[in-house]
Amino acid sequence: SQDEWSIALRYANEFNGVRVAAGAGYHEDGPIEGWGASAAMQHTASGIFVAVSYTDIEDTSITTAGYRDTAESWSVIGGMARKFSPLGKTTFWVRYAEYEGRTGQSAVAGYLTSHADLDVLSLGINQKIDAAAREIYASYYNVSSDATVSTTGARTDFDDFDAVILGARIFF
């Protein structure tokens, strides 16, 4: 039987028209352990906000010599959320995130994934429509990645991926 446990701390308050919130946590489930932290602040009068986050996860059960299974990520997002029209609140945002992983033997026999990077740049707009209990949104994502995936250790660069997402949500 594996032991699993977690602990977290959270904080939120408002000072002189600036809302702040932060949190940090640690989780352990057998050989997998990880921690993360985040913080955010918003100027209530202007609606300008910024938030940052970081996570680190490790699987100590990897036994391939010279490798360990880890994943790290961080992100920052900023934008503005305020009511520009009678429809409801409009939110403009831009976000940058980096994900990095190292691992040992992969699921494909004979191949080693020793390093992988993923960078994501995204931006978007959300418009709430209060009278109709819905929200419409549009966002753009650019994802770039490279990794060392081979029997020889050669680095592979992947083509960037771009996506535009349009949608709506109805709140029940």
Side-chain angles (χ1 to χ4, degrees):
S1 162
Q2 290 185 357
D3 292 328
E4 180 178 356
W5 63 276
S6 301
I7 189 168
L9 297 171
R10 295 185 184 146
Y11 175 81
N13 209 338
E14 187 170 330
F15 305 96
N16 300 320
V18 177
R19 276 189 235 151
V20 296
Y26 178 83
H27 178 82
E28 192 170 300
D29 183 4
I32 300 171
E33 57 186 57
W35 68 275
S38 64
M41 61 188 303
Q42 180 181 36
H43 183 255
T44 54
S46 67
I48 295 173
F49 66 88
V50 64
V52 296
S53 66
Y54 176 83
T55 59
D56 183 77
I57 300 169
E58 182 173 1
D59 182 349
T60 59
S61 68
I62 297 296
T63 58
T64 305
Y67 290 93
R68 64 186 192 124
D69 192 1
T70 64
E72 246 184 325
S73 68
W74 68 269
S75 71
V76 61
I77 185 171
M80 178 183 287
R82 64 187 291 189
K83 194 170 183 177
F84 291 102
S85 77
L87 287 174
K89 187 181 284 187
T90 306
T91 304
F92 301 95
W93 56 269
V94 61
R95 179 175 182 260
Y96 179 77
E98 286 187 7
Y99 305 89
E100 181 178 339
R102 295 179 190 90
T103 189
Q105 193 78 26
S106 74
V108 180
Y111 284 82
L112 294 177
T113 304
S114 61
H115 192 266
D117 292 315
L118 186 70
D119 300 329
V120 181
L121 175 63
S122 55
L123 54 99
I125 181 171
N126 298 41
Q127 176 63 58
K128 288 193 175 181
I129 305 171
D130 295 335
R134 68 186 61 195
E135 175 181 58
I136 56 175
Y137 56 88
S139 54
Y140 165 77
Y141 293 83
N142 171 267
V143 180
S144 60
S145 177
D146 57 66
T148 304
V149 184
S150 71
T151 56
T152 63
R155 192 119 176 118
T156 303
D157 289 323
F158 299 96
D159 291 336
D160 283 7
F161 174 77
D162 295 293
V164 175
I165 300 171
L166 306 171
R169 293 189 315 171
I170 299 173
F171 302 101
F172 293 99

